[in-house]
Amino acid sequence: MRRPGTRSALPVAAAGLLTLATVAGTAAAGAPALGAATPGAAVGPVLKLERAQASISLERFGKRVFVDPGIWVDSLGSALRFNVRKTAYGRPLTITQQITTPWGTTRYRRLPHWTLAGWNGLKNFAQVTVRNHAGDVVGSQKMTFCPDSYDPERTGPASPATDRFPQQCSAFDPFGLGEVWGITRGWAVDPAENDYGELNFKLALGTYQVTETIRPAYARLFHVTAKNATATVTVHVVKPENGVGTRPRQGPAAGAPLPTLPKVATLKQAPRRALPDLVALPSWGINASNRKTGLSYINFGATVWVGGHSKLDVEGFRKSGSHTMRAYQYFYRHGHIVGRIRAGTMSFDTEHGHNHWHFEQFAKYVLLKANKQVAVRSRKVGFCIAPTDAVNLLVKGADWQPGFLGFGGQCGSPTALWVQEQMPVGWGDTYFQSVAGQAFNITSLPNGTYYVEVIANPEHVLHEVTRSNDVSLRKVIISGTAGHRHVRVPAYRGLDPEG
């Protein structure tokens, strides 16, 4: 089962992880230092809260109102950009603002740790306050701000035609390494829209004033003027038209259509400068389940992500009447296809929750004993390769805006002649194994120490930069009695303790 859409001693350098040595930056001669900026005259982007309309009507959902006042964070003058990264597992998460100055140079400013809500965005960036007709505060909530939005919008006709930043701040996979957050110059993001309905208040029918304010610490940090740091909208809370009410929309639409590829030559040898690098992360989301049948299982999630020089592109082609497809791996240089090589097979999976084409040689999972001998094998062998988790968007060549996330647009139908399954650089594919045959059956295993082994490219049919990071191990400790088994998962380099 794939997680909704949406690591052992991992050789991070092989995956292209950037180091913090870049934060020194350069400045043009005569340009003032960042610290020399005066309030209201910041070097870099000018942030402004802007309301889309003076008043709106919102329906109640039960006794609560999901509030999106339509107040946007504009980035004027230059782009707002943050590089969020870990140099290695077990090291703290850091955030650095990357600033393009008026003199055409790039500067880097390390921001304080209190600005981070993990990978979720800028912690408590704004305050939303609701006042009734008498001016009394009837609701107040702090709001974390993710600059990456599935619905950024241009602020005027002179704004650039496209937004270049990713469409979400990632907080699913505990083993992320690098994110890019930002707002393109002349574009804006609605923080409440990104909260997917988390901003809600218990309100009676009536009229309210909803004020959104950039909190003082952030206003000082980014030199936001008092006028630009606040906006107010009149909100009319009304009965729902159908008597029930609806929740706000929950995210972007399905992905883009598949591209048409040109004819390319079949190669005898893979071009080294066009190879992806598959990396197996340590298993996560691990827990034990005890069924009424008396059987006990370990459920787990596993992520394989792609670094290296190019995306992973695996395509299957069907011969008339065949139940399988011959798969090929395509190779890219500077965005252009340079060739292909035969690489395994695809088959159609009719199981519940799938009903699409699987590449059969992508990954496998094994539960090992303490001596690293096989205890249980997962029967999960086929995958529809697709990006679900942004793992490191700071590696060279990372794709900040994949054409699809999850299954959208690429897994194929039963009648397909051709299927193209891709994983962009910087992204991972996560599956949760929680059904019989995929989860590990531990009913008859003795208590003790075991390891969940994740193996990428197990049959070596895919060509990649290195195989040294294709295997990861995660320690688990099984205890309990028959029908009541438990699992404890020690932290991995300080991350993700479970159970």
Side-chain angles (χ1 to χ4, degrees):
M1 181 181 74
R2 176 167 274 140
R3 57 161 289 276
T6 112
R7 312 165 204 192
S8 84
L10 183 66
V12 176
L17 179 62
L18 298 178
T19 69
L20 286 176
T22 59
V23 300
T26 57
L34 287 175
T38 57
V43 173
V46 175
L47 300 186
K48 176 185 178 183
L49 289 186
E50 180 177 7
R51 62 182 187 177
Q53 66 289 308
S55 66
I56 59 172
S57 294
L58 298 176
E59 298 178 351
R60 286 203 303 176
F61 183 82
K63 293 183 178 180
R64 305 197 72 84
V65 179
F66 295 89
V67 176
D68 178 358
I71 296 173
W72 297 74
V73 178
D74 298 354
S75 182
L76 308 175
S78 65
L80 177 70
R81 173 172 171 172
F82 305 104
N83 299 330
V84 185
R85 56 158 66 90
K86 290 182 178 180
T87 56
Y89 298 129
R91 299 297 299 275
L93 189 66
T94 65
I95 178 170
T96 302
Q97 184 180 7
Q98 180 173 323
I99 300 171
T100 301
T101 73
W103 308 278
T105 58
T106 300
R107 294 185 177 183
Y108 300 86
R109 178 172 70 151
R110 178 73 63 84
L111 299 186
H113 189 263
W114 57 259
T115 60
L116 282 170
W119 296 101
N120 291 312
L122 299 175
K123 184 177 181 179
N124 297 335
F125 176 81
Q127 186 90 27
V128 176
T129 304
V130 182
R131 291 181 171 83
N132 61 18
H133 63 89
D136 299 325
V137 175
V138 294
S140 183
Q141 188 171 323
K142 296 180 178 123
M143 185 165 50
T144 291
F145 173 43
C146 168
D148 292 347
S149 171
Y150 69 87
D151 184 31
E153 296 191 6
R154 300 168 71 196
T155 60
S159 301
T162 57
D163 169 59
R164 60 189 293 259
F165 287 102
Q167 296 182 334
Q168 64 181 22
C169 297
S170 176
F172 303 109
D173 188 334
F175 297 105
L177 289 170
E179 290 276 335
V180 178
W181 301 344
I183 306 174
T184 298
R185 174 186 60 82
W187 284 66
V189 169
D190 180 352
E193 188 177 57
N194 273 4
D195 268 0
Y196 300 145
E198 292 300 318
L199 190 67
N200 65 86
F201 302 94
K202 187 176 181 180
L203 299 174
L205 301 178
T207 299
Y208 301 85
Q209 299 296 313
V210 176
T211 300
E212 190 171 312
T213 304
I214 297 175
R215 302 188 73 227
Y218 283 102
R220 290 191 296 270
L221 188 64
F222 300 127
H223 307 287
V224 184
T225 65
K227 179 180 179 182
N228 287 348
T230 188
T232 298
V233 170
T234 299
V235 172
H236 305 286
V237 177
V238 298
K239 293 180 179 180
E241 292 184 4
N242 59 7
V244 177
T246 58
R247 296 179 71 98
R249 57 195 175 108
Q250 298 291 306
L258 293 172
T260 301
L261 294 174
K263 294 180 180 180
V264 294
T266 300
L267 307 176
K268 293 183 179 180
Q269 185 173 356
R272 288 196 57 81
R273 298 300 300 172
L275 292 179
D277 185 22
L278 278 67
V279 183
L281 303 185
S283 182
W284 58 286
I286 302 171
N287 61 80
S289 63
N290 297 284
R291 312 290 170 85
K292 293 181 179 179
T293 58
L295 299 178
S296 297
Y297 295 88
I298 287 181
N299 310 316
F300 62 98
T303 305
V304 175
W305 74 285
V306 170
H309 306 301
S310 177
K311 64 184 174 183
L312 175 66
D313 181 357
V314 180
E315 304 182 28
F317 297 89
R318 193 177 195 171
K319 289 189 175 181
S320 179
S322 175
H323 295 291
T324 62
M325 291 187 179
R326 291 164 59 91
Y328 293 80
Q329 181 180 357
Y330 281 72
F331 306 99
Y332 293 76
R333 287 293 306 277
H334 309 298
H336 300 287
I337 296 173
V338 295
R340 68 177 188 174
I341 292 179
R342 273 281 285 125
T345 56
M346 291 185 180
S347 64
F348 194 81
D349 190 331
T350 59
E351 293 295 325
H352 176 70
H354 292 274
N355 202 43
H356 51 226
W357 288 88
H358 278 175
F359 178 65
E360 298 288 357
Q361 296 85 17
F362 184 64
K364 72 176 182 180
Y365 314 119
V366 182
L367 184 66
L368 302 178
K369 302 175 185 177
N371 63 2
K372 309 297 175 64
Q373 298 299 306
V374 174
V376 183
R377 297 183 187 274
S378 169
R379 294 208 305 265
K380 177 66 174 174
V381 294
F383 302 80
C384 171
I385 304 168
T388 64
D389 298 74
V391 176
N392 192 354
L393 297 187
L394 291 172
V395 294
K396 183 178 180 181
D399 186 348
W400 293 358
Q401 291 189 349
F404 50 83
L405 294 176
F407 293 144
Q410 67 172 12
C411 296
S413 68
T415 58
L417 292 174
W418 167 59
V419 173
Q420 180 186 42
E421 300 184 1
Q422 295 186 338
M423 184 90 73
V425 172
W427 288 80
D429 190 357
T430 296
Y431 276 86
F432 279 115
Q433 319 306 324
S434 57
V435 298
Q438 297 182 16
F440 295 128
N441 187 333
I442 61 171
T443 306
S444 4
L445 292 183
N447 290 338
T449 297
Y450 295 83
Y451 294 89
V452 177
E453 182 181 47
V454 179
I455 308 171
N457 193 17
E459 299 181 31
H460 301 160
V461 300
L462 295 173
H463 298 268
E464 53 177 323
V465 173
T466 177
R467 295 176 184 165
S468 64
N469 47 22
D470 285 353
V471 179
S472 70
L473 298 176
R474 187 73 188 274
K475 179 187 287 188
V476 296
I477 301 170
I478 299 174
S479 61
T481 58
H484 301 279
R485 308 303 295 277
H486 307 283
V487 62
R488 182 168 63 87
V489 186
Y492 179 86
R493 300 190 185 179
L495 296 176
D496 193 42
E498 301 176 22

